[in-house]
Amino acid sequence: MARPSAAPRLILGIETSCDETAAAVITPDGRILSNIVSSQADLHARYGGVVPEVASRRHLELVTPVVQNALAEADTTLDDVGLLGVTAGPGLIGALLVGVAAAKAIAWARRLPLAAVDHLQGHVASLYLEPDAIAPPFLCLLASGGHTLLLDVQDRGKRPRVLGTTLDDAAGEAFDKGARLLGLAYPGGAEIDRVARDGDPTAYDFPVARVPGLDFSFSGLKTALLYAVKKLQPDELERRRADLAASYQRAIVRALVQRTEQAAGEIGGGKVAAVGGVAANSELRASLPDATAAPLALCTDNAAMIASAARFTEAIPYPGYLALDAYASTA
Ligand code: KG4
Ligand code: ZN
């Protein structure tokens, strides 16, 4: 008797570029079957930021169980996987190497191809997952802990043109550093977002940096917050924390929104999208009502977006990827 036609081969994604150990299984047409993210945030909170060596060691402990969870939750096995995608960079090199080594080992054992995914392309590819997938062309604001970019995305498989970037801190970094000055827990973006809900965004007039073109700058803003905090006694800081958080958040969001709208105007309108951890920010989402923001669960680092990008990245056939290396930054 003829067997029913084989199920489409699934894609297994692995992401370990920073402090999230993540694995996901998706279908070739972009449906998420599982998306497991094991955050190490608690582990790093006591240091007020990610400690690279600690992150690498934790990835090593977590990567195998997280991959097993992703397969189990997708109700599948490696027998159904046809392609692996792994973040090769940019990120913390020791952390990246754990994911790359795990992906190589699985792909090699199964004689499968492996796609070396760029983390930033991964964030953009969070928009290509169902049920809310959008297709290029679109203008993309990518705001994360490591990057702030305005991208002209013309094609899923090609590197987008960079229209603007930050001259100093990334938007997420500005959130994290600001949270630290305010005595809020790491990771700071979500904390500022939460605390700001009870504050007055007009209480403090923090500056939006004026830099030429479509670039961003957040370091002056951080310094302004530092001076505002320094003027306060501890009990006053306690009372003004929500106002400071709300005003600071508004300044970051205004900078992001102004530049995004300016860029949209310059490239002649069209669709606008927002991705990356900072795209989870409630005020940013509300301030870009006509933009497509990535679903909340796909804003911060995850492996579904990496599996998604793997579909549009040329895969390295078995066993060529054994020589694959990770990279900390894009040249
Ligand atoms: O994309 P992501 O998970 O990692 C990187 O690739 O960097 O982004 C993490 C960043 C952190 O800086 C974090 O504070 C920020 O995203 N973030 C937020 C929110 N949730 C996460 N920033 C503002 N509001 C949020 N709700
Ligand atoms: Zn990221």
Side-chain angles (χ1 to χ4, degrees):
M1 197 173 73
R3 284 169 56 121
S5 63
R9 313 286 321 265
L10 303 176
I11 301 146
L12 171 64
I14 298 178
E15 151 67 40
T16 64
S17 69
C18 190
D19 63 342
E20 262 96 29
T21 317
V25 178
I26 70 164
T27 62
D29 56 357
R31 277 179 304 118
I32 301 175
L33 301 184
S34 66
N35 188 20
I36 308 291
V37 181
S38 177
S39 173
Q40 307 177 5
D42 292 349
L43 186 66
H44 299 282
R46 75 180 102 146
Y47 306 108
V50 180
V51 184
E53 182 61 23
V54 174
S56 312
R57 286 168 191 262
R58 194 79 181 120
H59 283 308
L60 208 48
E61 290 166 5
L62 288 172
V63 70
T64 304
V66 164
V67 168
Q68 283 167 339
N69 271 359
L71 291 167
E73 195 157 295
D75 198 18
T76 190
T77 67
L78 286 175
D79 291 344
D80 291 329
V81 172
L83 170 66
L84 268 92
V86 66
T87 309
L92 302 170
I93 197 74
L96 287 162
L97 283 170
V98 176
V100 168
K104 278 183 191 177
I106 297 170
W108 183 79
R110 293 280 169 159
R111 302 219 173 345
L112 292 171
L114 173 63
V117 173
D118 181 275
H119 184 79
L120 304 177
Q121 293 277 61
H123 274 298
V124 176
S126 65
L127 298 165
Y128 307 146
L129 288 162
E130 296 299 342
D132 302 311
I134 64 163
F138 54 84
L139 169 73
C140 188
L141 169 68
L142 190 170
S144 70
H147 296 86
T148 310
L149 294 164
L150 278 167
L151 303 170
D152 178 11
V153 183
Q154 289 292 334
D155 184 310
R156 288 186 179 98
K158 291 207 184 96
R159 256 180 199 286
R161 189 161 61 98
V162 176
L163 304 173
T165 186
T166 180
L167 303 178
D168 38 58
D169 292 345
E173 204 177 349
F175 270 108
D176 294 336
K177 289 179 176 172
R180 212 167 160 167
L181 292 173
L182 292 172
L184 297 171
Y186 170 85
E191 277 295 287
I192 290 194
D193 197 346
R194 186 178 61 77
V195 172
R197 284 179 198 158
D198 299 321
D200 173 5
T202 62
Y204 290 86
D205 190 17
F206 289 127
V208 174
R210 287 183 201 287
V211 286
L214 290 168
D215 289 334
F216 302 87
S217 165
F218 295 105
S219 64
L221 177 60
K222 182 185 63 194
T223 310
L225 177 65
L226 172 68
Y227 285 125
V229 168
K230 268 191 172 166
K231 282 194 199 134
L232 302 175
Q233 298 301 321
D235 60 320
E236 280 179 309
L237 175 59
E238 194 66 44
R239 268 188 286 115
R240 303 302 309 269
R241 185 175 283 131
D243 287 345
L244 284 162
S247 305
Y248 186 72
Q249 171 170 282
R250 192 167 97 143
I252 298 177
V253 167
R254 271 172 57 200
L256 295 173
V257 170
Q258 274 177 11
R259 280 293 192 254
T260 304
E261 285 174 350
Q262 186 187 339
E266 284 185 19
I267 63 173
K271 283 180 281 189
V272 177
V275 300
V278 178
N281 185 267
S282 57
E283 189 177 337
L284 179 64
R285 295 174 88 88
S287 306
L288 287 171
D290 298 329
T292 303
L296 277 182
L298 300 177
C299 286
T300 43
D301 288 347
N302 65 85
M305 69 184 198
I306 302 304
S308 178
R311 297 177 295 158
F312 309 106
T313 306
E314 198 176 336
I316 311 167
Y318 167 89
Y321 42 78
L322 291 179
L324 175 68
D325 210 351
Y327 52 93
S329 57
T330 339

